[in-house]
């Protein structure tokens, strides 16, 4: 997947270098709208016009990396078909990277709102501080569980539908298996079509939540 990503964007950059009018050609026609979408609809609204450029490369990387690996997981033959986003180690790693970037770049207002919430009485500050601190760690947890669970669920449903063929065959004989097979396959095709949409949505959700968390950590006081 990394090789494919490198090839896609190296060829996209090459297409821009060769184009005198800077009008995208070739594969750049496909990548440019997606890059602009991540920039204009995810990075800028959540991080801000001034600061989004620093984090845009990371957001673009995770968006395309998650989406491409999810697509590869839907292709049922070698060298694809690996359900990478259904591996919790993969989703935890991405969530930890977002966690590190968010907290390393967190400004004084971000940490002040966590440990000494402004504008509330002191007893309430002491009560809110541990809750806010727990929230720092629950954000990446929600990131990796959401991606892992949604991708895994779709594959489990497809596996269950295929298994019905063999269940009916073992319970009621070969004829039952042959009768159930077309129905199971029809539902598998339908679920697979839905999965094509789901894999893109999950890449989008992970990216926009990462941008939101980074934006909350880097926002200045007057931006809250």
């Amino acid at each position: 997947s990394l090789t494919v990503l490198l090839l896609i964007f190296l060829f996209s950059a090459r297409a821009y270098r060769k184009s005198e009018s800077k009008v995208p050609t070739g594969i750049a026609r496909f990548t440019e709208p997606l890059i602009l979408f991540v920039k204009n609809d995810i990075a800028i609204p959540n991080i801000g016009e001034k600061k989004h450029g620093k984090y845009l490369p990371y957001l673009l990387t995770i968006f395309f990396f998650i989406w491409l690996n999810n697509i590869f997981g839907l292709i049922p033959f070698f060298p694809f078909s690996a359900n990478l986003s259904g591996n919790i180690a993969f989703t935890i790693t991405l969530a930890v990277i977002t966690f590190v970037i968010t907290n390393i770049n967190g400004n004084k207002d971000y940490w002040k709102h966590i440990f000494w919430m402004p504008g509330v009485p002191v007893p309430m500050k002491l009560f809110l501080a541990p809750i806010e601190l727990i929230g720092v760690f629950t954000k990446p947890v929600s990131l990796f569980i959401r991606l892992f669970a949604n991708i895994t669920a779709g594959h489990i449903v497809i596996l269950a539908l295929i298994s019905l063929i063999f269940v009916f065959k073992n319970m009621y004989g070969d004829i039952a298996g042959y009768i159930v097979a077309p129905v199971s396959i029809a539902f598998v095709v339908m679920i697979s079509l839905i999965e094509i949409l789901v894999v893109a949505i999950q890449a989008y959700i992970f990216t926009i939540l990462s941008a939101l968390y980074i934006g909350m950590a880097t926002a200045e006081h007057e931006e809250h």
Side-chain angles (χ1 to χ4, degrees):
S1 62
L2 288 173
T3 302
V4 172
L5 277 178
L6 284 172
L7 290 174
I8 288 173
F9 286 100
L10 287 173
F11 279 115
S12 297
R14 184 180 180 185
Y16 272 100
R17 284 196 300 268
K18 288 186 174 182
S19 176
E20 296 181 359
S21 62
K22 299 301 180 182
V23 176
T25 59
I27 196 169
R29 291 184 177 181
F30 169 75
T31 56
E32 185 188 58
L34 294 173
I35 292 171
L36 291 177
F37 168 74
V38 174
K39 176 183 177 180
N40 297 329
D41 294 335
I42 296 179
I44 293 178
N46 290 286
I47 301 176
E49 183 73 38
K50 295 180 180 179
K51 300 178 182 178
H52 80 278
K54 180 180 178 181
Y55 308 100
L56 183 59
Y58 172 64
L59 297 176
L60 287 170
T61 300
I62 58 173
F63 177 79
F64 283 99
F65 188 58
I66 293 173
W67 189 23
L68 188 67
N69 279 291
N70 287 345
I71 291 173
F72 284 175
L74 296 178
I75 302 174
F77 53 80
F78 182 84
F80 308 108
S81 76
N83 183 19
L84 192 58
S85 296
N87 184 333
I88 200 165
F90 172 79
T91 60
I92 286 176
T93 301
L94 294 180
V96 167
I97 294 172
T98 295
F99 171 80
V100 171
I101 291 174
T102 299
N103 290 285
I104 284 180
N105 291 281
N107 57 28
K108 62 180 182 180
D109 289 323
Y110 171 70
W111 293 110
K112 185 177 180 180
H113 275 75
I114 292 173
F115 292 107
W116 203 249
M117 182 74 68
V120 298
V122 173
M124 188 59 67
K125 293 177 188 285
L126 298 174
F127 175 75
L128 289 176
I131 296 176
E132 291 292 328
L133 184 60
I134 292 171
V136 171
F137 296 96
T138 57
K139 290 173 183 175
V141 171
S142 69
L143 275 180
F144 79 76
I145 288 180
R146 180 182 287 105
L147 178 59
F148 168 75
N150 281 282
I151 298 301
T152 302
H155 285 73
I156 290 175
V157 170
I158 291 174
L159 181 62
L161 290 170
I162 293 294
S163 298
L164 286 176
I165 300 172
F166 303 97
V167 170
F168 275 81
K169 178 182 177 181
N170 291 331
M171 291 181 63
Y172 305 109
D174 292 346
I175 296 177
Y178 293 138
I179 294 173
V180 172
V183 179
S184 292
I185 292 172
F187 275 101
V188 166
V189 172
M190 182 181 69
I191 296 297
S192 298
L193 292 175
I194 295 174
E195 282 284 283
I196 294 173
L197 178 63
V198 169
V199 296
I201 292 174
Q202 291 308 312
Y204 166 76
I205 291 174
F206 194 101
T207 306
I208 196 171
L209 287 178
S210 296
L212 177 63
Y213 297 155
I214 293 170
M216 292 169 61
T218 58
E220 299 298 337
H221 180 70
E222 61 272 12
E223 295 174 345
H224 284 286

